[in-house]
Amino acid sequence: MEYIDNLLTTMKEHPIYATVSIVLSGGIFYIGYSKVSHWLGNEIEGTGNIPFPTPKDGEDLIHVDVDDLRQYNGRGKYIYVGIDGKVFDVTEKKDVYGVIGEGYNVFTGGDASRLLGLSSVKEIDAYDDDGVEGGIADFTEDQKKTLNQWLAFFTERYPIVATYDRASERK
């Protein structure tokens, strides 16, 4: 009990030290928890660490909402790219798609259709004038052709693990 009294007295007399101590303690706890969870092999739901289920023979791929892709943006174990209603598992190329904030990471964790059709790596280009992510209604024939080339590229190289509603179907 004396320890708690001393702690409360210190907090009252030195509020800045108390705040710093609390923040540092929380940070140390979080880092420790993260490391222990990783060492034990625990997978934390909501962080891109749990893959979409693989369908059994004759079953369809699962259908997800485009928002379900957000957690698969390179921060977790699995990395997914959505293109024209198909979800590709690009985890094997973590060095290309998994570096947060760099290069092709912009395509991950959502509908990359618009970015690919525009040949853009600018996040702002992921949305059309109506604010729809992956919207391609305003594409020219050349942009549609470019998107189809990218779709063929991904289809040849990466497994499709799910489907989602295209931008035109989400309106």
Side-chain angles (χ1 to χ4, degrees):
M1 191 67 176
E2 184 179 333
Y3 172 77
I4 294 174
D5 289 335
N6 288 339
L7 180 63
L8 292 174
T9 302
T10 303
M11 288 175 72
K12 288 178 187 174
E13 292 174 2
H14 307 286
I16 292 177
Y17 294 131
T19 304
V20 170
S21 295
I22 291 169
V23 170
L24 288 175
S25 298
I28 291 169
F29 174 79
Y30 175 76
I31 291 169
Y33 174 78
S34 298
K35 292 295 181 190
V36 169
S37 293
H38 177 71
W39 292 330
L40 294 176
N42 295 343
E43 295 184 340
I44 303 168
E45 192 171 350
T47 59
N49 287 326
I50 300 173
F52 291 154
T54 304
K56 296 177 181 152
D57 288 338
E59 289 183 345
D60 291 335
L61 294 168
I62 66 163
H63 189 80
V64 299
D65 189 277
V66 73
D67 289 332
D68 295 332
L69 300 178
R70 302 279 180 251
Q71 62 185 319
Y72 298 96
N73 63 358
R75 294 185 195 281
K77 191 173 180 181
Y78 297 92
I79 307 170
Y80 296 157
V81 174
I83 306 170
D84 199 32
K86 297 172 181 63
V87 179
F88 295 89
D89 182 350
V90 299
T91 305
E92 70 181 53
K93 291 290 192 175
K94 192 171 183 91
D95 59 322
V96 175
Y97 297 98
V99 182
I100 305 299
E102 292 186 23
Y104 298 133
N105 178 253
V106 70
F107 301 137
T108 67
D111 186 342
S113 302
R114 186 169 184 83
L115 289 170
L116 292 167
L118 295 173
S119 298
S120 175
V121 292
K122 297 178 187 172
E123 283 186 51
I124 195 161
D125 288 338
Y127 298 87
D128 66 12
D129 291 339
D130 295 326
V132 178
E133 180 183 9
I136 61 170
D138 61 344
F139 268 20
T140 65
E141 288 304 314
D142 283 343
Q143 290 166 332
K144 289 177 186 176
K145 183 179 175 183
T146 300
L147 174 59
N148 287 329
Q149 289 170 341
W150 277 113
L151 186 57
F153 173 87
F154 275 82
T155 302
E156 289 173 15
R157 287 166 179 78
Y158 305 110
I160 299 172
V161 295
T163 61
Y164 66 95
D165 288 337
R166 295 177 179 108
S168 60
E169 298 164 333
R170 292 194 303 265
K171 286 187 174 182

